[in-house]
């Protein structure tokens, strides 16, 4: 049995695991019902699909650990942010945005998405944008765009209940993740600052069972600090010249051993590359052919 928690009109079904390939699923009820990211666990979702009349299905973004049991809710009006919508319409676009397109990982990645995660291309995607309101009858959701992790990552605010849903701005000690080609470190930083300005009593993340209360300033600071400490590690590693591949093999960000045959090796490389771009602009490193090196302070 998975754990659940009710906060006002929101029922949280905590993911079977706090991380990939599961996430927290939310059921929001007014007179109508919205189901968000059905990927907590198969059995609970099968029961929901049988018992509940669901009017809207919403995905916070296109990642597999958020969409995996969507097929149980086929036929329900599907909503997602405009900036991620192309990935729901086409697996090829998703491959492109993730960064696997044209790489040796592409075929296996696509097979996993369609077989293990039930991905199917959709013709109909109702697109939301920052501030779009959805009146469920007695409960109004205000969708909020938190881009960076993916271009269209979207949470929501229910002002009457002071509930802010953070989606994959999950404020975990291991995050944030910007492993997709279309991810952006600067947008994540900007989204953290956007969250800081929103007053809420409950902050619900997409991963983990902890609901944050009241002042989340220190958590936001720590989340940002993770980005800067990764940057410092990369700078330290570049006291001797290294190529992008050499830096990726050090697994400075993921922290777990990676072999180049794993798609996470590519993701690590993508995250390092985004830091290198920032460090080059800041003049903290120089590029010479294929190698990068720290500039003297
Ligand atoms: Zn994600």
């Amino acid at each position: 049995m998975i754990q659940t928690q009710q906060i006002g009109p929101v029922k949280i079904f905590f993911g079977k695991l706090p991380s990939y390939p599961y996430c927290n699923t939310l059921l929001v009820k007014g007179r109508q019902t919205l189901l968000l990211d059905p990927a907590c666990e198969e059995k609970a979702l099968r029961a929901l699909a049988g018992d509940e009349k669901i009017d809207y299905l919403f995905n916070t973004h296109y990642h597999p650990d958020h969409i995996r049991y969507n097929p149980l809710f086929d036929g329900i009006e599907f909503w997602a942010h405009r900036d991620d919508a192309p990935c729901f319409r086409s697996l090829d676009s998703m491959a492109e945005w993730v960064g696997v397109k044209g790489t040796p990982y592409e075929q296996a990645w696509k097979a996993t998405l369609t077989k293990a995660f039930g991905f199917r291309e959709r013709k109909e995607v109702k697109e939301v944008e920052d501030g779009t309101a959805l009146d469920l009858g007695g409960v109004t959701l205000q969708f909020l765009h938190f881009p960076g992790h993916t271009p269209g990552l979207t949470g929501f605010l229910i002002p009457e209940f002071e509930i802010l849903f953070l989606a994959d701005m999950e404020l975990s000690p291991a995050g944030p993740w910007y492993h997709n080609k279309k991810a952006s470190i600067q947008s994540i930083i900007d989204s953290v600052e956007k969250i800081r300005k929103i007053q809420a009593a409950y902050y619900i993340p997409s991963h983990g069972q902890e609901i944050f209360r009241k002042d989340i300033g220190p958590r936001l600071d720590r989340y940002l600090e993770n980005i800067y400490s990764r940057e410092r590690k990369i700078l330290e590693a570049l006291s001797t010249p290294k190529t992008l591949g050499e830096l990726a093999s050090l697994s400075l960000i993921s922290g777990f051993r990676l072999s180049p045959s794993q798609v996470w090796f590519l993701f690590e490389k993508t995250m390092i590359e985004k830091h290198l771009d920032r460090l080059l602009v800041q003049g903290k490193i120089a590029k010479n052919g294929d190698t990068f090196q720290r500039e003297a302070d």
Side-chain angles (χ1 to χ4, degrees):
M1 273 290 279
I2 59 164
Q3 303 288 315
T4 62
Q5 185 175 342
Q6 185 83 40
I7 302 175
V10 178
K11 185 168 183 181
I12 308 159
F13 296 75
F14 292 108
K16 184 175 169 181
L17 297 173
S19 55
Y20 188 92
Y22 300 97
C23 77
N24 297 337
T25 293
L26 269 54
L27 191 72
V28 189
K29 273 190 172 181
R31 284 187 291 280
Q32 289 190 306
T33 301
L34 173 131
L35 179 69
L36 176 148
D37 287 353
C40 57
E41 184 246 2
E42 186 172 357
K43 211 171 134 202
L45 290 166
R46 280 194 185 281
L48 259 185
D51 298 346
E52 289 280 350
K53 185 189 171 299
I54 293 159
D55 301 283
Y56 306 97
L57 174 63
F58 179 77
N59 279 159
T60 55
H61 62 305
Y62 57 80
H63 281 160
D65 55 333
H66 293 252
I67 66 171
R68 70 177 299 174
Y69 298 113
N70 274 354
L72 292 175
F73 304 92
D74 270 351
I76 294 171
E77 188 172 305
F78 177 77
W79 292 40
H81 192 277
R82 181 182 59 192
D83 294 349
D84 275 3
C87 298
F88 293 105
R89 297 198 173 100
S90 139
L91 186 58
D92 228 37
S93 296
M94 203 199 288
E96 168 90 47
W97 292 32
V98 166
V100 293
K101 193 162 167 56
T103 72
Y105 310 103
E106 182 177 355
Q107 291 319 316
W109 178 88
K110 281 184 170 170
T112 304
L113 257 287
T114 48
K115 291 187 186 121
F117 290 91
F119 178 82
R120 286 173 223 165
E121 296 185 339
R122 290 175 182 275
K123 285 198 181 66
E124 306 288 339
V125 179
K126 171 98 180 175
E127 298 180 7
V128 308
E129 47 193 287
D130 191 44
T132 299
L134 174 63
D135 182 358
L136 293 172
V139 176
T140 301
L141 289 185
Q142 188 188 339
F143 290 107
L144 292 176
H145 189 201
F146 301 134
H149 177 69
T150 67
L153 183 76
T154 294
F156 65 73
L157 178 71
I158 304 181
E160 309 95 287
F161 292 91
E162 292 190 78
I163 296 170
L164 178 63
F165 170 62
L166 300 166
D168 259 5
M169 292 294 289
E170 26 68 283
L171 309 184
S172 76
W177 302 104
Y178 27 92
H179 56 293
N180 282 186
K181 189 171 149 194
K182 282 258 195 175
S184 155
I185 295 177
Q186 189 55 50
S187 297
I188 289 178
I189 295 171
D190 295 343
S191 289
V192 166
E193 295 312 327
K194 181 173 178 173
I195 290 167
R196 203 189 291 278
K197 293 195 186 86
I198 304 169
Q199 284 301 313
Y202 304 92
Y203 299 85
I204 306 173
S206 271
H207 294 280
Q209 297 203 2
E210 188 183 351
I211 309 302
F212 313 125
R213 301 296 311 273
K214 303 291 178 194
D215 181 22
I216 58 161
R219 278 193 183 266
L220 295 171
D221 292 340
R222 191 188 60 183
Y223 207 53
L224 290 179
E225 174 52 25
N226 287 350
I227 296 176
Y228 303 127
S229 74
R230 291 165 179 177
E231 211 138 89
R232 288 194 296 273
K233 278 191 210 166
I234 293 167
L235 271 177
E236 208 168 294
L238 288 181
S239 49
T240 56
K242 286 184 180 62
T243 64
L244 174 57
E246 285 165 347
L247 280 170
S249 328
L250 298 175
S251 196
L252 296 173
I253 297 180
S254 309
F256 39 87
R257 260 183 91 88
L258 296 163
S259 99
S261 65
Q262 295 171 276
V263 73
W264 259 100
F265 184 80
L266 173 74
F267 294 157
E268 171 81 13
K269 210 160 131 183
T270 304
M271 290 193 283
I272 298 272
E273 202 172 6
K274 290 181 194 298
H275 278 291
L276 293 176
D277 288 345
R278 286 169 63 85
L279 292 168
L280 279 168
V281 170
Q282 293 164 9
K284 292 183 180 165
I285 59 169
K287 190 179 182 192
N288 194 345
D290 279 347
T291 63
F292 299 85
Q293 185 167 16
R294 183 176 189 164
E295 292 278 46
D297 290 324

